[in-house]
Amino acid sequence: MTDHWITPTRIFDGKEMHNGLALRLSGGRVVELANRPDIAHPVAGLVTPGYLDLQVNGGGGVLLNTSPTVEGLRTILNAHRRFGTVGLMPTVITDHPDVLDRAADAAIAARDLPGMIGLHIEGPHISVPRRGTHKAAFVRPMDDRTIGVVKRLRAADLRVMITLAPEAATLAQIAQLAAMGAIVSLGHTDATAEQVMAAMAAGATCATHLFNAMSPMQSRAPGTVGAVINGRGYAGIICDGQHVDDMMVGMALRARPVPDRMFLVSDAMATVGGPNTFELYDQRITLADGRLVNDEGSLAGAHITQAQGVQRLIEYVGASPVEALRMVTSNPAACIGAPDLAELLGRKLDDILLLDDHYSVRSTLAAAVMPEVVTDESS
């Protein structure tokens, strides 16, 4: 088997940025990162592990809640892969319990699809006042049925993130979910800081779309936002200029007491790679001026890719390229206990990206180098 060496302009290995190093490719994978040999072929651009997204409601015209099937999941995965997201957690939001059951069945059946890294269950065990676009009629306290779904997913060795409000679950239930290996994430909540800290002590390790759908930070009432920012857990955040002001994103990044605990989520809906409208809870959701809104005028998810979020983090928020790239690779991978998903070594070339000078996704590394490899072999 012939090995090939390439020297990209820059290499991000999931943690650090490198200049002047080379990658050895063999069997369609990266097998070594080393000093540049004389035979290395130059490749213009920045090489990085493909992006991860732990909160994706839909894509390619499909919403998981309305298409909780293997084909629905395949469409969502493929839609986001086109934009550089090579691993994601499809997200089922608050709905009838049967919808969650079907989404779980589909996730188990689709566990080996490229890019399928788990299932995110967002609701229905949330706060009605902080439900956002989630339908109030389906909101309810944590129950044995949902715990049973999580148990079944974990028994199938599928990663699970479950977003809940501390006021909608007992501390014992949070501890039970955490003991199963689920990532318990706090969101859509009106909880006090004290309730949040108690939930974290019980086993919650994450917060869902920081700032959005949670009690705000005030001078004498830190709320969920203050407790999360001051805490040591992970937190997802949407960076589309719509859900959170860029200044607030930057403040949160600088204020966290432990580095690398923030990760980017798209909260993407069916419009990414699909048409500009879709149906949710029998309402039409429309994309207008970059915002997805329901019939009540409320935000209903996001229309953004992880690649666009990275660019915004760097250009508008002021994050360093290393910080921004960690937020879509190693940080979310660490949050779900899967650090290998953010590594270069051993990865398929289809799961590695080549970016241009403006951090736009040019292609996968496979698409960028395979023609040159074929030419080298035939010459």
Side-chain angles (χ1 to χ4, degrees), residues 7-233:
T7 305
T9 307
R10 290 185 293 169
I11 299 171
F12 177 70
D13 65 4
K15 284 287 189 179
E16 304 296 340
M17 195 77 74
H18 303 279
N19 295 292
L21 295 184
L23 296 173
R24 181 163 65 92
L25 315 180
S26 181
R29 296 179 183 269
V30 173
V31 296
E32 187 176 358
L33 172 65
N35 290 324
R36 179 175 55 203
D38 293 338
I39 59 172
H41 185 87
V43 174
L46 165 61
V47 166
T48 176
Y51 299 157
L52 307 177
D53 194 343
L54 306 187
Q55 189 174 2
V56 180
N57 305 289
V62 168
L63 196 66
L64 181 56
N65 275 62
T66 53
S67 299
T69 64
V70 172
E71 279 309 306
L73 290 168
R74 192 193 312 274
T75 298
I76 294 168
L77 292 165
N78 290 341
H80 286 271
R81 180 170 282 269
R82 288 170 45 202
F83 301 104
T85 299
V86 305
L88 57 84
M89 275 189 159
T91 303
V92 55
I93 69 170
T94 299
D95 213 318
H96 190 280
D98 290 349
V99 173
L100 175 56
D101 288 340
R102 291 169 58 200
D105 290 341
I108 292 170
R111 54 179 292 179
D112 294 326
L113 288 179
M116 181 72 182
I117 61 175
L119 183 69
H120 185 160
I121 302 169
E122 186 185 359
H125 314 299
I126 57 176
S127 161
V128 171
R130 297 288 179 182
R131 73 187 190 280
T133 195
H134 293 227
K135 192 168 184 176
F138 294 126
V139 173
R140 63 188 190 276
M142 178 62 67
D143 54 30
D144 289 341
R145 184 165 179 174
T146 296
I147 290 174
V149 170
V150 174
K151 184 176 182 179
R152 183 157 56 90
L153 289 164
R154 294 297 299 138
D157 201 27
L158 200 71
R159 297 182 187 91
V160 180
M161 177 175 282
I162 180 165
T163 293
L164 56 81
E167 60 269 43
T170 67
L171 296 179
Q173 288 170 328
I174 291 173
Q176 182 181 7
L177 290 165
M180 292 179 191
I183 300 99
V184 178
S185 189
L186 306 181
H188 288 278
T189 173
D190 214 20
T192 65
E194 290 75 18
Q195 287 175 298
V196 169
M197 290 186 290
M200 290 289 188
T205 57
C206 189
T208 296
H209 45 48
L210 181 62
F211 292 110
N212 295 117
M214 57 178 59
S215 49
M217 180 171 53
Q218 300 179 42
S219 59
R220 290 185 294 277
T224 301
V225 171
V228 170
I229 289 177
N230 281 286
R232 303 177 67 85

Side-chain angles (χ1 to χ4, degrees), residues 148-369:
V149 170
V150 174
K151 184 176 182 179
R152 183 157 56 90
L153 289 164
R154 294 297 299 138
D157 201 27
L158 200 71
R159 297 182 187 91
V160 180
M161 177 175 282
I162 180 165
T163 293
L164 56 81
E167 60 269 43
T170 67
L171 296 179
Q173 288 170 328
I174 291 173
Q176 182 181 7
L177 290 165
M180 292 179 191
I183 300 99
V184 178
S185 189
L186 306 181
H188 288 278
T189 173
D190 214 20
T192 65
E194 290 75 18
Q195 287 175 298
V196 169
M197 290 186 290
M200 290 289 188
T205 57
C206 189
T208 296
H209 45 48
L210 181 62
F211 292 110
N212 295 117
M214 57 178 59
S215 49
M217 180 171 53
Q218 300 179 42
S219 59
R220 290 185 294 277
T224 301
V225 171
V228 170
I229 289 177
N230 281 286
R232 303 177 67 85
Y234 289 90
I237 195 165
I238 305 168
C239 188
D240 62 354
Q242 304 285 348
H243 283 74
V244 185
D245 188 275
D246 295 324
M247 292 180 66
M248 299 300 285
V249 176
M251 183 202 73
L253 295 181
R254 293 187 296 272
R256 297 304 307 277
V258 180
D260 298 327
R261 294 295 169 91
M262 297 288 291
F263 59 90
L264 194 67
V265 295
S266 69
D267 199 23
M269 287 294 196
T271 52
V272 171
N276 288 344
T277 62
F278 62 94
E279 298 289 326
L280 175 63
Y281 304 135
D282 297 322
Q283 287 192 47
R284 179 169 293 276
I285 311 298
T286 303
L287 178 65
D289 298 323
R291 291 165 53 91
L292 284 172
V293 294
N294 61 18
D295 292 341
E296 300 169 0
S298 299
L299 280 174
H303 177 76
I304 192 171
T305 65
Q306 290 291 73
Q308 292 169 321
V310 166
Q311 289 179 293
R312 190 170 192 94
L313 280 170
I314 296 170
E315 184 175 354
Y316 292 95
V317 175
S320 71
V322 167
E323 183 176 30
L325 290 171
R326 285 180 179 176
M327 287 177 65
V328 288
T329 56
S330 53
N331 294 3
C335 176
I336 62 173
D340 57 302
L341 293 178
E343 295 175 355
L344 276 180
L345 296 184
R347 296 293 293 279
K348 294 180 180 179
L349 303 188
D350 281 333
D351 287 344
I352 298 172
L353 307 180
L354 184 66
L355 311 184
D356 65 18
D357 291 342
H358 302 287
Y359 302 96
S360 294
V361 177
R362 283 175 48 189
S363 69
T364 64
L365 191 56
V369 304

